Amino acid sequence: MSQRSRTGIAALAAALTSLALLAGGCTGAGGVRGTPGAAGLRDPLFPKLGNGGYDVGHYGLTLAYDPASGRLDGTAEITARATQDLSAFDLDLAGLTVRRATVDGAPAAYNRAGNELTLRPRDDIPEGKEFRATVTYTGVPEPLTDADGSKEGWLRTADGAVAVGEPAGSMTWFPGNHHPSDKATYDLALTLPAGLDGLSNGVRTATRTEPGGRVTTVWHTAEPMASYLATVAVGHYETASATALGAVPVLTAAEAPVAAGSAALRGEVPGILARQVKRFGPYPFSAAGALVTKDGTLGYALETQTRPVFPAGSFDRTTLVHEQAHQWFGNSVTLASWRDIWLNEGFATYAEWLYDEEYEHVPARTHFERAFAQDANWAFPPAAPPTAENLFDPPVYQRGAMVLHTLRETVGDRVFDEILRGWAAKYRHANASTDDFTAYAESVAGRDLGALWDVWLYGDGRPDRP
Ligand code: TRP
Ligand code: ZN
């Protein structure tokens, strides 16, 4: 066979291979024939959120942001393990332009459809194999408007941005498996024009000046984090450092105009954590803090991991207690699906009631009575928010807390304390569902509590006053 015709056959073979690649009928280097991972995890409220076929272990995010233009340049290095033989898999990404994708260093074909970014590696990935997907992207991130009308994602400010991601906003600034059931550790390098401050979750491990004068800060999140708890704040911030619990570094930051006004309460972070540890057990993370932003961008506080974020107008002690309580309930013990949101908000609200009872002379029963009297708290059962629009409605917070107070009055203070601490310990850095909670509470109480759950957690309407 002449050289010329061999080249022709090779070209034909290559063409056929790429056809097969697109059709998904190829076999991998090891002879594995994979199938595409699912485009969503069938969350009852967000069916397309997250992706099947793999489990992320670590995100390495390299971001450069230019506040003047609003442009974000990013590279996401995602280390994951295949949970099936994979021919292709999705990442969630909203907006932005993908420039390049690789899997284990080899260029991967990619395709965008809605918020799904599909990567097709050259070779199929066998189940159990660890792989590294790299996506290079650019663009001006646009926030998402949620079903309830609130904004989330990358929110631009006059001189920077603040990123919040509950429930789905993190897909506006990095590609990933954005369902809370896939937690991972993070390294994030943030490059900004000189004179601007950047903050994120966890511990700042490096600060360096780049050749052109821009400044990079590097942030490490050592414990698993659901992507909705990732944050970035860019602007003119004043910071304060402290130590909590003898060993946990605390870094608080506030935008310059709200720095003086928030300094005293930021100083209370270690003291409040010390009180919460007594109630909930060991603090689950190796960093702590708070981020306070000027009002007008963020419509609510959020329990971003290790370093919750607050609009200045919501930075009060009760909200601080609430967001810190989420570090145990929500961030370490993370909901299995968004329908379990009361496991976050009911617990954090009850943490406010417990704090008031112990330190402000307001019995939890008084909060319970107030909540019981409000009609808005009975719109739906806390374990069954009907739509995504209802995720942060009063029944989730107030009636969720009422469930816990009723449990406490049923099993007694000593057993209730054991349930609260034991729950945080048993599911530390894991995910848990409402069924996991009811089963766990019954196992600690040593009795069936079905009647309590039926009425308080799953029942429609206001029951008789207990
Ligand atoms: N999870 C936040 C908290 O309670 C609240 C929150 C997040 C929220 N997104 C929201 C409230 C949207 C209303 C609307 O700490
Ligand atoms: Zn909350």
Side-chain angles (χ1 to χ4, degrees):
M1 207 178 287
S2 74
Q3 186 61 42
R4 192 188 170 92
S5 68
R6 273 184 38 202
T7 307
I9 288 167
L12 180 63
L16 286 171
T17 305
S18 58
L19 266 176
L21 263 165
L22 286 168
C26 61
T27 55
V32 176
R33 178 179 287 270
T35 53
L41 291 175
R42 300 165 175 255
D43 185 284
L45 297 177
F46 301 90
K48 288 174 123 180
L49 196 61
N51 307 285
Y54 65 96
D55 188 358
V56 179
H58 184 76
Y59 291 91
L61 304 177
T62 304
L63 306 177
Y65 186 59
D66 175 37
S69 63
R71 183 190 174 101
L72 179 70
D73 288 292
T75 299
E77 275 189 9
I78 300 168
T79 308
R81 188 176 297 281
T83 56
Q84 67 179 62
D85 292 340
L86 273 179
S87 60
F89 59 91
D90 279 10
L91 297 165
D92 302 316
L93 181 66
L96 305 172
T97 301
V98 173
R99 292 258 186 251
R100 183 177 147 81
T102 68
V103 173
D104 290 331
Y110 58 88
N111 180 56
R112 308 276 314 259
N115 295 338
E116 303 293 330
L117 164 64
T118 304
L119 261 59
R120 187 178 295 285
R122 187 189 56 197
D123 299 325
D124 287 15
I125 306 169
E127 179 179 351
K129 184 177 183 285
E130 192 175 282
F131 63 95
R132 179 182 287 198
T134 303
V135 178
T136 304
Y137 56 98
T138 186
V140 177
E142 291 286 342
L144 304 179
T145 303
D146 289 335
D148 64 3
S150 55
K151 295 259 186 240
E152 55 154 339
W154 189 273
L155 308 174
R156 222 170 144 176
T157 63
D159 57 352
V162 56
V164 289
E166 190 181 27
S170 291
M171 67 170 74
T172 66
W173 58 281
F174 66 96
N177 197 8
H178 288 299
H179 189 272
S181 57
D182 192 357
K183 302 208 272 186
T185 56
Y186 286 68
D187 283 298
L188 186 150
L190 179 62
T191 301
L192 300 170
L196 280 170
D197 303 296
L199 295 130
S200 186
N201 314 87
V203 175
R204 184 171 52 204
T205 56
T207 302
R208 59 173 185 261
T209 302
E210 303 293 343
R214 292 188 301 170
V215 177
T216 299
T217 52
V218 183
W219 300 84
H220 180 63
T221 295
E223 296 86 16
M225 175 165 80
S227 74
Y228 78 90
L229 298 166
T231 191
V232 162
V234 175
H236 293 91
Y237 279 82
E238 290 184 16
T239 61
S241 298
T243 301
L245 311 167
V248 178
V250 178
L251 175 65
T252 71
E255 284 191 277
V258 295
S262 64
L265 188 56
R266 283 189 283 133
E268 289 190 35
V269 167
I272 295 171
L273 281 177
R275 289 172 167 185
Q276 291 179 318
V277 160
K278 286 196 241 164
R279 202 86 203 207
F280 309 145
Y283 181 65
F285 301 117
S286 51
L291 296 172
V292 183
T293 68
K294 289 185 290 183
D295 286 320
T297 299
L298 201 60
Y300 47 83
L302 188 66
E303 64 267 27
T304 44
Q305 193 151 305
T306 68
R307 196 156 290 120
V309 56
F310 305 82
S314 319
F315 192 54
D316 52 60
R317 188 174 294 107
T318 300
T319 310
L320 180 56
V321 165
H322 177 107
E323 306 308 340
Q324 286 197 174
H326 274 308
Q327 305 306 316
W328 284 263
F329 306 111
N331 299 9
S332 168
V333 182
T334 301
L335 30 59
S337 91
W338 284 109
R339 194 165 54 191
D340 301 313
I341 185 68
W342 83 279
L343 292 175
N344 287 14
E345 302 306 345
F347 279 63
T349 301
Y350 200 63
E352 297 171 31
W353 298 6
L354 288 172
Y355 191 92
D356 270 2
E357 177 168 272
E358 201 163 355
Y359 303 106
E360 307 286 348
H361 312 291
V362 184
R365 180 78 204 182
T366 303
H367 280 293
F368 177 89
E369 301 278 357
R370 277 183 210 153
F372 191 87
Q374 273 165 28
D375 293 343
N377 293 333
W378 303 99
F380 56 83
T387 73
E389 200 177 327
N390 307 110
L391 215 47
F392 303 109
D393 282 0
V396 171
Y397 287 75
Q398 301 293 322
R399 194 172 159 190
M402 281 189 267
V403 172
L404 294 177
H405 191 72
T406 308
L407 173 64
R408 176 180 167 191
E409 290 192 344
T410 303
V411 301
D413 283 3
R414 196 189 54 78
V415 172
F416 179 74
D417 263 16
E418 202 181 320
I419 292 172
L420 212 52
R421 298 168 71 93
W423 175 245
K426 178 166 184 186
Y427 290 96
R428 179 181 164 96
H429 297 320
N431 290 87
S433 67
T434 298
D435 283 349
D436 290 329
F437 180 71
T438 55
Y440 180 73
E442 291 185 1
S443 77
V444 175
R447 56 190 272 203
D448 177 78
L449 296 165
L452 191 161
W453 313 132
D454 284 350
V455 172
W456 290 90
L457 205 41
Y458 298 107
D460 280 318
R462 185 172 1 217
D464 290 339
R465 195 165 160 283

